[in-house]
Every structure is written in structure tokens, then in C-alpha cells.
Amino acid sequence: MTPTSPQNSEPGADPRRLAYLGTLASGLAHEIRNPLGTMKINLQLLEEDWADAANNREKKTLKKINLLMKEINRLENILDDFLRFARGYRLKPVDRDVNAILGEVLEFVMPEAESHGIRILSLLEPGVGKYPLDVNHFKQALLNIIVNGQQAMENGGDLIVRSHREGKQISIDITDTGAGIAPENLEKIFNVYWSNKKGGTGLGLAFTRRIIEEHGGDILVQSEPNVGTQVTIQLPASPSANG
Ligand SMILES: Nc1ncnc2c1ncn2[C@@H]1O[C@H](COP(=O)(O)OP(=O)(O)O)[C@@H](O)[C@H]1O
Ligand SMILES: [Mg+2]
């Protein structure tokens, strides 16, 4: 996806009209997703049918099927990211052990990461304690950051997840040894639809920042090209979650 001009919010736009447009757009996304699912299932069957392609003609057909499958997966990703972003929700924060949540997310991503030559190092400081978290949304935010880190390490690397507490503030650092972010792009990465990845949606970090801020927290990014990136989530002593 090509970088587009950032547009996080429209000052002065009628909120009711925006909400209506949002509803329309999510409806459309849902409508597209169902037939897409049917197409995908049938393509999968076709893929199986042609899996043992013998001659050139058959191999060419299989290649086209694979390409269609890739594009369908891409469309599904776009719709999923969009729906996550556009869907109305209300956070339901409940006091949860921050390290336990981090541990669950790491366990979830571990197999996929390892298969891509990525080593996950978890440095969770004991006694970090609890914070009011909407577990599903917070996990999704963490996942978005971790997936970006993995995608930045095409040839493998280290993903370091650290938690610590300073006074009453809890910090979570997610560091990768990947491609890094060019200084001129650093301010754009949270903009909706800004992506420099093939197949990227540019919605992951925008959504992540919204979730973290709705938990009363902050998200910061430091990066050096060809060295890596560190994303820090700061959760304050006294949360003022406004979700
Ligand atoms: N850990 C990272 N390393 C390098 N670049 C990153 C990292 N995280 C985010 N980015 C940059 O920020 C952009 C936006 O990220 P995101 O909102 O998740 O969208 P997407 O992953 O779909 O591109 C990415 O396309 C990438 O250029
Ligand atoms: Mg992403």
C-alpha cells in the first residue's frame, strides 16, 4: 500500500454523520467478508485438486490459484483490520496481572516467531503488578506491536519484551532487531492507512495507540534504521481509562 496523507480525524465534521458513515462502512466490510469466505473455501478445494499438478499447463493453473489465494488473504486482512478499527466498542477494564497477560500473548506468538527464526526473550520483572485492562483489546494492541516487530525481521532476529515498574508507573518495552524506521517516517506510523509494507493495511498502530490511550496510557517509539525499534507502553500510576 502506498503512503497516503495522514487523516486521523476531521475537525469540525458532524459526529453523527461520521458515526453513520462508520456504520455503513462496517456493514459494507461485513458484506464483503462473507462472499470472500466462500471464495476462499472453494479456492482451497481447487488448490487441493491441483496440488499434484504434473504438466506445465497444470502447474500454471496451480500458480494462478495460489496467487488468487494470496490476494484473498490480503483482502481478508484489510477487512479484519478495518473492522477492528471501525467497530464500536466500549472497553471493560478489569484489574489484571500485567506480566500474566504478556506471558499469554508471548506463548501465543512463540511458535510462529520461532518458525521465522525469531528468538523471543521475555524479561518480565516480578512484582509489576496489576492494572485495569480490557484483556481482549489490550492483547490485540500488544499483538499488533509484536507482529510489526516480526515483520521488520525478515531474516530473523530477537524480540525482547520487558516489563518494569518505576514507582507506580508500569512500562512495557517491545524491542526488535529489525529494519528500523527512517526518521522521516517516525511521525507517520500512527496515521491511519500509512504503511510501507506490501500487503500492509496501515491500521495496526493507529488502533493500538487508540487502545493504549483509552487505557489511560501512552505509547512511544524509538527506532534506528538497520538496528531496530523499541515500542514502549506506559501505564500510569492512577489510570484514568476513558473507554
Ligand atoms: N517494529 C517496526 N519496525 C519497523 N517498522 C515498523 C515497526 N512498527 C511499525 N513500523 C512501520 O509503521 C508502519 C505502520 O504500521 P501498522 O500501523 O502496524 O501498519 P502495517 O503493519 O499494516 O503496515 C509499517 O508499515 C512500518 O513501516
Ligand atoms: Mg502492522
Side-chain angles (χ1 to χ4, degrees):
M1 191 169 283
T2 44
T4 51
S5 70
Q7 204 86 91
N8 266 329
S9 60
E10 284 184 59
D14 177 356
R16 269 185 326 193
R17 185 173 151 71
L18 277 183
Y20 178 63
L21 285 177
T23 310
L24 271 184
S26 340
L28 177 68
H30 272 296
E31 288 301 324
I32 296 173
R33 209 157 57 156
N34 295 337
L36 210 57
T38 313
M39 286 160 76
K40 187 170 172 171
I41 290 171
N42 281 285
L43 260 185
Q44 263 161 359
L45 293 173
L46 270 178
E47 226 172 17
E48 283 166 25
D49 284 349
W50 291 81
D52 51 2
N55 59 42
N56 249 355
R57 191 154 167 258
E58 289 179 359
K59 280 182 187 153
K60 269 190 189 164
T61 305
L62 180 62
K63 229 174 152 179
K64 284 176 194 150
I65 295 172
N66 292 152
L67 182 79
L68 283 170
M69 191 61 121
K70 238 171 115 179
E71 290 298 278
I72 286 192
N73 284 333
R74 195 162 93 81
L75 280 173
E76 269 189 348
N77 278 343
I78 293 173
L79 291 175
D80 285 348
D81 274 5
F82 174 81
L83 281 170
R84 261 199 288 276
F85 198 87
R87 198 182 285 140
Y89 60 85
R90 176 166 280 278
L91 292 186
K92 295 192 187 79
V94 178
D95 267 347
R96 294 293 294 261
D97 187 82
V98 173
N99 282 347
I101 300 295
L102 285 169
E104 285 170 28
V105 172
L106 291 181
E107 203 171 308
F108 177 73
V109 296
M110 194 79 83
E112 166 87 3
E114 277 176 354
S115 75
H116 285 93
I118 292 166
R119 190 165 56 150
I120 293 189
L121 303 165
S122 136
L123 306 170
L124 308 181
E125 186 182 273
V128 159
K130 291 184 176 179
Y131 191 86
L133 299 175
D134 179 299
V135 175
N136 286 339
H137 283 97
F138 195 75
K139 278 185 172 175
Q140 185 63 53
L142 292 169
L143 209 55
N144 289 349
I145 298 169
I146 292 172
V147 168
N148 280 340
Q150 290 182 354
Q151 290 172 342
M153 297 187 285
E154 275 191 323
N155 304 314
D158 290 341
L159 189 95
I160 306 147
V161 178
R162 198 180 303 127
S163 68
H164 53 109
R165 179 187 270 273
E166 276 170 51
K168 283 187 171 170
Q169 176 171 280
I170 298 172
S171 296
I172 301 166
D173 296 323
I174 299 170
T175 310
D176 66 65
T177 57
I181 302 166
E184 67 270 23
N185 290 336
L186 211 48
E187 60 183 39
K188 301 181 198 153
I189 61 173
F190 289 104
N191 293 337
V192 278
Y193 293 125
W194 194 87
S195 171
N196 65 357
K197 280 175 210 169
K198 201 164 168 257
T201 66
L203 290 174
L205 280 183
F207 182 70
T208 297
R209 177 155 79 176
R210 192 162 90 188
I211 297 297
I212 300 301
E213 288 181 352
E214 285 174 355
H215 276 88
D218 275 321
I219 180 165
L220 314 163
V221 179
Q222 291 167 284
S223 186
E224 199 177 323
N226 302 318
V227 176
T229 301
Q230 175 166 311
V231 180
T232 301
I233 296 172
Q234 288 178 339
L235 301 171
S238 30
S240 54
N242 52 18

